[in-house]
């Protein structure tokens, strides 16, 4: 795997160490048995931007996003606006708790079998003590970015996808209990999987998988096996998050967790890194649970694991957009840690401006996509960044991005500009495609 090549080149690792490392990392993330569906890479940069926005909301609202406080409703409005713009059918479910109105946000991705629902949820409320960025901005932002990736790639799964942001978890799973209790049994039975994400970017992280539905559990374990990272079963209080009411109602559940106030053992620090004898999250339920209280690597891995599970558990296809296509399939090599290169297409015969949903097909073969900055350049030179060094050591970008190009005249020469900003790994542009709906 190229990560080992990079380590060897950068650090001069001995053949012995390199051999041991390479042997510990399987070649692919295919789950045992079935062929795995490859989801798009979830951009940790985007997930962190959502966290920065939630932090700003807390800061502007007395330092928290707690149930019954203005920061909670502002958080709900923020997430809802993004989902509405991405084509989700959203609904706000209200309830009353401790004399204040609470809100759940439910977002359905149109399509898929309505009798087979794959649902992902995270609580969006914080405690009153702080902004709640790891608990639980992390899960909320990661499922938001996963939902947006579903939209960007126009994912058309066999099953129906639903996402939920719960209110008043911190007061005793109030929002999720309200949803489960107010969903008729026949509707509940259609939920074939409920995936819960509560605290997935802990600063001294562990990699815990819920030990509930075996298929869901195995899906997450397969993802981590593909990365060569050991997981443990989540034991920091089963039933302490929003999967509990679903589980009680007989819905298959699962989830990921990077640890709260339990202490990382020496053995755990040995296999995961971090600090033994220290809590997974020393800022759990405290004012210091800010954007500084996030481990980017854990957040990145867990966000990608969420997409892996959502894609694989709903087993569908990503349909190429239909419309008028302009494409350049000539290979353009990208110099290592060098100057930007471009691939161009000439658009003609389109009246007026480009659409708000311009589909930008990017096919780049590269051994380390974390090296790359990828921009779309409009005919007048306007720059639209679509990839900014996210994805770490993942191979290749083969994705269709949606760009709001509605302020650009459609006709003219459009360019895909790619720059490799770090030494060692290399690659080439293999295809650039614009689709006008
Ligand atoms: N739900 C708890 C909170 O929000 C955190 C927590 C503790 C947790 N143990 C857990 C979450 C186990 C998921 C699984 O404060
Ligand atoms: Zn929580
Ligand atoms: Ca490089």
């Amino acid at each position: 795997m190229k990560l080992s090549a990079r380590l060897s080149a950068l650090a001069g690792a001995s053949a012995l160490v390199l051999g041991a490392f390479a042997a510990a990392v399987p070649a692919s993330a295919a789950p045992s048995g079935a062929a795995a569906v490859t989801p798009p890479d979830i951009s940790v940069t985007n997930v962190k931007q959502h966290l920065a926005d939630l932090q700003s909301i807390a800061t502007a609202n007395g330092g928290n996003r707690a149930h019954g406080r203005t920061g909670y409703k502002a958080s709900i409005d923020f997430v809802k606006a993004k989902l509405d713009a991405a084509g989700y059918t959203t609904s706000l479910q209200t309830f009353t708790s401790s004399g204040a109105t609470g809100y759940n946000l439910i977002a359905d991705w149109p399509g898929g079998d309505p009798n087979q629902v794959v649902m992902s949820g995270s609580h969006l409320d914080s405690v009153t003590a702080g902004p709640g960025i790891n608990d639980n901005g992390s899960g909320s932002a990661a499922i938001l970015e996963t939902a947006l990736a579903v939209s960007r790639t126009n994912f058309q799964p066999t099953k129906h996808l639903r996402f939920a942001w719960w209110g008043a978890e911190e007061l005793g799973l109030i929002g999720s209990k309200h949803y489960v209790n107010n969903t008729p049994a026949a509707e509940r039975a259609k939920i074939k999987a409920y995936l819960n994400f509560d605290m997935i970017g802990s600063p001294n992280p562990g990699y815990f998988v819920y030990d509930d539905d075996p298929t869901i559990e195995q899906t997450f374990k397969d993802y981590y096996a593909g990365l060569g990272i050991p997981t443990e079963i989540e034991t920091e209080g089963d039933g302490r998050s929003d999967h509990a009411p679903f589980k009680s109602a007989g819905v298959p559940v699962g989830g990921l967790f990077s640890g709260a106030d339990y202490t990382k053992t020496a053995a755990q620090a040995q296999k995961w890194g971090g600090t033994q004898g220290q809590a997974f999250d020393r800022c759990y339920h405290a004012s210091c649970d800010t954007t500084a209280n996030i481990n980017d690597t854990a957040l990145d891995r867990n966000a990608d694991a969420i997409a892996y599970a959502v894609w694989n558990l709903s087993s569908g296809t990503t349909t190429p957009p239909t419309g008028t296509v302009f494409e350049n399939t000539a290979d353009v090599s990208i110099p290592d840690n060098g100057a930007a290169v471009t691939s161009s297409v000439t658009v003609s015969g389109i009246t007026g401006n480009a659409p708000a949903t311009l589909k930008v097909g990017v096919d780049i073969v590269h051994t380390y996509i974390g090296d790359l900055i990828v921009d779309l350049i409009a005919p007048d030179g306007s720059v639209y960044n679509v990839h900014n060094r996210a994805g770490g050591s993942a191979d290749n970008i083969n994705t269709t991005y949606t760009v709001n190009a509605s302020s650009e005249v459609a006709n003219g020469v459009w360019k895909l500009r790619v720059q490799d900003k770090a030494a060692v790994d290399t690659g080439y542009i293999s295809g650039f495609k614009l689709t006008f709906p």
Side-chain angles (χ1 to χ4, degrees):
M1 209 166 169
K2 73 289 168 172
L3 185 57
S4 55
R6 164 172 287 234
L7 284 179
S8 136
L10 291 181
S14 74
L16 189 66
V17 170
L18 179 58
F21 183 83
V25 182
S28 84
S32 34
V37 177
T38 306
D41 177 62
I42 299 300
S43 159
V44 73
T45 308
N46 291 0
V47 177
K48 288 184 71 183
Q49 183 59 54
H50 304 322
L51 291 179
D53 290 338
L54 291 172
Q55 173 74 60
S56 300
I57 287 170
T59 303
N61 289 278
N64 68 71
R65 302 180 303 100
H67 168 74
R69 309 294 184 94
T70 51
Y72 183 71
K73 183 58 165 44
S75 299
I76 282 278
D77 292 344
F78 162 75
V79 175
K80 184 175 184 297
K82 295 217 176 272
L83 295 163
D84 287 338
Y88 279 81
T89 305
T90 60
S91 68
L92 273 188
Q93 184 179 42
T94 61
F95 56 88
T96 303
S97 181
S98 305
T101 302
Y103 304 88
N104 293 329
L105 172 63
I106 312 294
D108 284 273
W109 179 238
D113 181 352
N115 294 315
Q116 301 183 77
V117 178
V118 173
M119 184 167 187
S120 304
S122 291
H123 77 86
L124 187 57
D125 63 314
S126 71
V127 292
T128 54
I133 297 303
N134 186 36
D135 183 13
N136 183 30
S138 62
S140 295
I143 67 168
L144 171 59
E145 189 56 27
T146 302
L148 298 179
V150 165
S151 166
R152 272 186 218 116
T153 60
N154 192 27
F155 183 40
Q156 300 295 330
T158 308
K159 296 178 188 162
H160 178 80
L161 296 182
R162 183 174 298 154
F163 295 87
W165 288 262
W166 307 118
E169 186 269 356
E170 300 289 5
L171 279 63
L173 321 178
I174 308 294
S176 54
K177 282 180 185 166
H178 181 85
Y179 177 85
V180 170
N181 290 338
N182 288 276
T183 302
E187 288 302 312
R188 274 194 325 239
K190 296 176 183 172
I191 305 173
K192 303 305 179 193
Y194 172 74
L195 314 178
N196 195 64
F197 306 102
D198 183 1
M199 306 183 72
I200 58 165
S202 305
N204 185 26
Y207 294 91
F208 299 103
V209 177
Y210 296 7
D211 177 22
D212 281 296
D213 177 70
T215 304
I216 300 172
E217 180 182 341
Q218 192 58 49
T219 302
F220 287 126
K221 285 180 170 173
D222 286 341
Y223 180 78
Y224 273 102
L227 296 183
I229 294 166
T231 59
E232 286 185 17
I233 295 305
E234 189 286 300
T235 54
E236 198 172 340
D238 201 17
R240 274 179 68 182
S241 191
D242 299 298
H243 56 296
F246 287 87
K247 185 177 176 171
S248 302
V251 174
V253 305
L256 296 173
F257 180 55
S258 57
D261 50 1
Y262 280 27
T263 301
K264 184 179 271 187
T265 65
Q268 289 170 331
Q270 181 73 34
K271 63 181 168 186
W272 291 328
T275 311
Q276 71 175 80
Q278 196 176 88
F280 295 106
D281 183 354
R282 288 194 291 178
C283 289
Y284 176 59
H285 285 184
S287 60
C288 58
D289 186 9
T290 64
T291 47
N293 190 43
I294 289 289
N295 179 285
D296 290 359
T297 303
L299 184 69
D300 189 11
R301 289 170 177 165
N302 282 326
D304 287 337
I306 293 170
Y308 181 87
V310 167
W311 257 254
N312 277 285
L313 292 169
S314 64
S315 58
T317 55
T318 298
T319 55
T322 56
T324 310
V325 174
F326 301 89
E327 187 170 18
N328 185 340
T329 57
D331 290 354
V332 179
S333 82
I334 306 164
D336 187 27
N337 197 17
V341 292
T342 60
S343 174
S344 303
V345 296
T346 302
V347 172
S348 62
I350 307 269
T351 308
N353 279 10
T357 56
L358 179 62
K359 302 291 179 193
V360 183
V362 175
D363 188 357
I364 296 174
V365 176
H366 198 282
T367 51
Y368 201 98
I369 68 172
D371 287 2
L372 301 176
I373 297 177
V374 183
D375 298 310
L376 174 71
I377 317 268
D380 72 352
S382 303
V383 177
Y384 296 85
N385 180 257
V386 295
H387 174 89
N388 191 358
R389 307 199 59 179
S393 66
D395 279 341
N396 306 336
I397 299 178
N398 193 346
T399 306
T400 300
Y401 300 97
T402 303
V403 170
N404 183 346
S406 57
S407 64
E408 306 296 336
V409 172
N411 290 339
V413 178
W414 294 74
K415 290 179 180 153
L416 185 74
R417 181 174 69 188
V418 183
Q419 186 169 18
D420 180 326
K421 298 282 280 181
V424 180
D425 288 274
T426 59
Y428 59 95
I429 304 174
S430 165
F432 168 40
K433 181 160 82 172
L434 291 181
T435 305
F436 290 74

